[in-house]
Amino acid sequence: MSRFDSPQDARRWLKENQDTLVSILRHCDDEFARACALTVLMHCGIDLDIEQAKRELELAQEMMG
């Protein structure tokens, strides 16, 4: 596991991996993995639309039954 030397490093990593994290939120059936992805998105300095995040989680919940 790597550490980030600065907040900019974390934001750069997030920018490079944001699509993967969103895909985890949308499609993964592992609640822990989805929680981790959401936490990273919320705490790495991006402007996350909370309403969009809620919709994504609701969609994932509907898909899982």
Side-chain angles (χ1 to χ4, degrees):
M1 179 182 283
S2 66
R3 279 187 21 200
F4 298 113
D5 292 327
S6 69
Q8 292 81 11
D9 290 341
R11 283 189 215 104
R12 183 177 54 241
W13 181 90
L14 179 60
K15 185 176 181 180
E16 293 170 359
N17 294 283
Q18 185 171 351
D19 290 341
T20 300
L21 294 169
V22 171
S23 181
I24 290 169
L25 283 176
R26 289 182 178 166
H27 305 293
C28 186
D29 62 351
D30 184 317
E31 290 182 22
F32 180 74
R34 288 196 328 264
C36 290
L38 182 59
T39 299
V40 170
L41 288 168
M42 291 177 65
H43 293 285
C44 280
I46 65 163
D47 294 327
L48 180 64
D49 179 357
I50 298 299
E51 291 303 316
Q52 178 66 27
K54 284 182 181 178
R55 288 190 294 273
E56 296 291 345
L57 291 172
E58 288 169 359
L59 177 61
Q61 188 174 23
E62 288 174 16
M63 293 173 65
M64 293 174 35

